[in-house]
Each structure stands twice: as C-alpha cells, then as structure tokens.
Amino acid sequence: MPTPAERTALYRLYGADDRLLYVGISNEPKERMKAHAADKPWWGQVETRDFEWFETRERAAKAEVDAIRLEQPLHNHAHNTAAVLALLPAALEEPLRPQFTPVVADDRSAAQRMAADIRALTMAGELPTGSRLPTTQDLCTRYKVSNVTVQRGLRILKSEGFAVGRNGSAVYVTSPAPLHLGEQEHYVVTEVSSGETAPPRQAAQALAVPEGELIQREEVLVEVDERPLQIVVSYRRLNSGSSEPTEHLDRVTVRPPTTAELLALQIPEEVPVMRTFRQLLNRDGQALEVQIIVEPGNLCLRQFRTPIAP
C-alpha cells in the first residue's frame, strides 16, 4: 500500500489567458512553489496554479511526461518533442513542418545555469578531479545569486556525480564514472526479458523483415561497480543462419530519457541519454543483428581516430 510520502502532485502553472507556463511534480508542492519563486525568471507571469495528486511518484512522473509532450508548456524543456523532429526526414508539406522559434534567452533557472557552467568546465578538464570548487560566497558573487540558489546548483552537480561535499570542508570536483568503467571483466550483464516479437519499424527496416514476421528480441541491463551502465535491446531474425558479422554500423543520437530509462539507469532528470542504433553487418553489408543501446550521458566517452587523406 502506498505510503503518504509517495503521494505526489502534478502541478500546472498558468499565466495570462490561461497560457500553460510550466508542468512539474512534487510531494511537497508548497516548498516547490517557493523554490520556483526564487529561481525561475518567469515566476512573475504565474497567475493560477492547478494541482492533481497521484498515489505514487512513478504515476505522477508518467503523467508529467505525457502532459509536457501533449500540452507543450512554455518553459519546460525536458520531454519536449522538438529535438526528436530533428531525427526525422524533413516534412515537405507546410502543415507538417515545425515552426522554428529563435532562442533569445536562457530560461533555465539560475541554479541550472551555474551547474551547466561548472559541468562544462569539469568535462573539459579545466576543473580537474580532486580540485576545490569556488566557495559559496565566490559563486554567489560570480553569478549574482543567493546562497540558496548556489546550494541548489551544487545539489544538481552532486546528484549527477560531478561534485562531492565534505563536512566542515569544501566541495570538490569528482567524476561520475565508476572505478572500473571500460573494463569489460567487471561488467555484470543481467537478462531483463527475451522472446519472439514483431520488431519496431527501425529494426525491421534494417533487418529487411517483412511486415508481421516475428524475430528474436532480448533485453539486458549492463552494470559496473553496481551502477547501471547500459540498456541493450537486441533483435535477430529467427533464421539468421551461421554468417558472422564483420563490422558494425552505429547511428548515435542524444535525447532526454523516457521514464522507463530514467528509472532503469537511475539517472537524475538533468542527465540526457545517448542512444546507439547498432547494425552488425556481414561481408555483404547485410544486417544480421540490430542492437539499441541506451546509456547515461554523463558516463559516455567515445574516442575516435580518423586518418586524413593526403
């Protein structure tokens, strides 16, 4: 039976003419409203609020994703579908074409903007692992924000694994990467599900599977140092034969996580995921297997070396 602490509110904030400004969830909406008032530059536009309660946070989170995607609030960025349109072929008919809206300001909260700056410096190596972050007072002065806002920004970085605090000391730069990341012998693979199924369109096209034909599907979770690292879903034809793959072809995209991915990979809402659509090809260029690999953006590292033709 759900505990009282699990009850979570889905809230909608409206501006003039009932324009939906923002959608979010919280089990303490009054405190969340205070936080928004301190952080959100558009808070002064809010005229009315609507609250809908759910018995569990998981149900509220699903309702939040659906509300953001369907109702398109003005100031939400997570779960918006605009980024997905970039992955599709261009729509030629005018009614189908998305309207490009120029970005003239960063509408993220001051805490999110501060965290983004520090995250970028950390990933670029300008703030080495083990170094101290500037003091709270220094950050307050640099970003012209309050102590409370700085602490929110630091909480974002800590939740993503880019900072760690020590009682009575400072906040230090750290790395979200598990100790044995990249060492295959330390990886633990757990089967989530397997069976025969009709493949999704992208996999069916790659494998040249006729409509309605069933293929083998397997989903596994890869962990390292007890940290979820990858969700891997594989598709193979039932009569794939004995041919061996000679190369793989990857198509890599980045997007916000789905609810299922966020929960399976245990990532904070600020962290995007990297999705790799991998085709294992034989000597004739035919796809023998398709793998869809989803992993946390803060744990992705790829290095490529490409010869330059003379």
Side-chain angles (χ1 to χ4, degrees), residues 60-125:
K62 184 180 185 303
E64 178 193 26
V65 172
D66 292 340
I68 292 172
R69 285 176 171 167
L70 295 175
E71 300 170 35
Q72 292 290 292
L74 184 61
H75 295 296
N76 280 92
H77 298 293
H79 311 302
N80 283 351
T81 58
V84 178
L85 294 175
L87 308 180
L88 303 175
L92 300 180
E93 296 183 23
E94 193 60 33
L96 298 178
R97 293 192 62 79
Q99 297 299 311
F100 172 71
T101 302
V103 178
V104 297
D106 188 345
D107 287 334
R108 292 176 297 179
S109 71
Q112 290 173 313
R113 294 195 299 271
M114 186 196 84
D117 287 349
I118 295 175
R119 184 191 303 114
L121 292 171
T122 300
M123 295 183 72

